[in-house]
């Protein structure tokens, strides 16, 4: 194997990921080995990414959510994620610092990438989140947020926006940081399952 780029993680990327995520060198190297087995080219495609999500949510349909997550991390829009982008995606969706997580959440909700969020974009993401919640669990949700439309309305009303208004990034982050209830509504914490599965794989 040696230190060829195809089998070993470069020191530069390793140091960068250790600094910007909570993962250890041992974890990152083990995950890189797994990543290369699944993606010998060193890059993961949107379809592969969706497949990973699908395998962790057998009782729901995570395709739309996985597509949005992929888009938000495919920074150069080339239709693939390299290992670094993939690990940062895992870190932010499961355990990132609140500010970084909210910056990512804004990018997730900003579907067209124009720097603001519209009500339609909120509805798109909320619908994708709902598709990941098993039907039985949806029935247990509070009355005022048990459909995607109700949840989107609740978020939109919290920001006191009219139907055609937009939310800017600073306003989004400040609003969500100040209100735990809205933080709960905008996010989906299940990606932790993916992190746990990856840990299983490396053992």
């Amino acid at each position: 194997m040696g230190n060829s780029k195809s089998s070993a993680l470069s020191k530069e990327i390793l140091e960068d990921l250790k600094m910007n995520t909570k993962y250890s060198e041992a974890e990152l190297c083990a995950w890189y080995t797994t990543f290369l087995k699944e993606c010998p080219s060193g890059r993961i495609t949107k379809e592969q990414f969706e497949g990973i999500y699908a395998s962790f949510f057998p009782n729901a349909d995570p395709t739309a959510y996985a597509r949005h997550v992929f888009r938000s991390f495919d920074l150069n829009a080339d239709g693939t994620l390299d290992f670094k982008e993939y690990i940062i995606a895992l870190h932010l969706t499961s355990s990132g610092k609140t500010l970084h997580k909210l910056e990512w959440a804004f990018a997730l909700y900003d579907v067209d990438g124009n720097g603001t969020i519209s009500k339609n974009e909120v509805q798109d993401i909320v619908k994708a989140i709902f598709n990941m919640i098993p039907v039985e669990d949806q029935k247990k949700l509070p009355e005022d947020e048990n459909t995607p439309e109700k949840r989107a309305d609740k978020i939109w009303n919290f920001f006191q926006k009219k139907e055609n208004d937009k939310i800017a990034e600073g306003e989004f982050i400040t609003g969500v940081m100040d209100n735990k209830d809205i933080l709960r509504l905008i996010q989906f914490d299940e990606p932790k399952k993916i992190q746990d599965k990856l840990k299983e794989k490396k053992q």
Side-chain angles (χ1 to χ4, degrees):
M1 279 199 174
N3 276 331
S4 72
K5 274 192 180 164
S6 61
S7 61
L9 197 49
S10 82
K11 269 269 177 270
E12 191 186 335
I13 289 176
L14 190 56
E15 290 306 317
D16 193 14
L17 287 173
K18 273 163 61 183
M19 199 183 304
N20 290 301
T21 72
K22 62 168 198 164
Y23 306 131
S24 68
E25 187 164 333
E27 282 178 313
L28 289 165
C29 289
W31 283 355
Y32 187 61
T33 305
T34 305
F35 183 81
L36 282 183
K37 272 187 204 149
E38 311 255 337
C39 314
S41 68
R43 304 191 77 81
I44 187 167
T45 65
K46 188 169 63 165
E47 290 69 30
Q48 286 171 309
F49 191 77
E50 288 170 12
I52 289 169
Y53 262 72
S55 69
F56 297 131
F57 300 99
N59 303 319
D61 178 11
T63 311
Y65 187 76
R67 200 172 297 140
H68 284 302
V69 171
F70 187 92
R71 166 188 52 77
S72 69
F73 286 109
D74 181 15
L75 301 178
N76 59 0
D78 68 351
T80 64
L81 297 184
D82 61 20
F83 181 71
K84 184 177 169 185
E85 289 170 322
Y86 177 65
I87 288 296
I88 286 172
L90 272 183
H91 171 70
L92 278 180
T93 54
S94 60
S95 56
K97 289 179 182 165
T98 304
L99 178 61
H100 293 157
K101 210 169 181 177
L102 291 180
E103 286 171 347
W104 165 70
F106 182 83
L108 181 72
Y109 276 83
D110 182 14
V111 176
D112 63 7
N114 72 348
T116 60
I117 296 173
S118 68
K119 189 172 184 184
N120 281 344
E121 288 173 322
V122 170
Q123 287 169 339
D124 275 357
I125 303 297
V126 169
K127 239 175 241 169
I129 289 173
F130 255 76
N131 288 344
M132 294 176 75
I133 304 173
V135 177
E136 282 309 305
D137 292 345
Q138 288 184 27
K139 290 175 186 168
K140 299 172 194 159
L141 291 169
E143 178 63 32
D144 64 345
E145 56 186 72
N146 60 5
T147 69
E149 294 73 24
K150 285 181 187 174
R151 185 174 279 207
D153 282 344
K154 198 170 179 179
I155 293 168
W156 206 244
N157 292 338
F158 166 77
F159 284 102
Q160 300 180 320
K161 295 293 180 185
K162 298 193 179 103
E163 199 70 16
N164 296 318
D165 284 349
K166 308 267 193 240
I167 302 172
E169 184 175 15
E171 181 182 13
F172 177 84
I173 289 171
T174 307
V176 176
M177 270 197 163
D178 289 345
N179 190 299
K180 292 247 178 335
D181 200 36
I182 292 299
L183 179 61
R184 177 182 59 76
L185 287 177
I186 65 149
Q187 67 185 7
F188 185 70
D189 281 334
E190 287 295 332
K192 183 159 188 335
K193 278 189 182 175
I194 293 175
Q195 194 185 343
D196 293 340
K197 283 276 183 186
L198 277 172
K199 281 183 180 165
E200 283 168 26
K201 273 191 180 179
K202 77 182 177 83
Q203 283 165 5

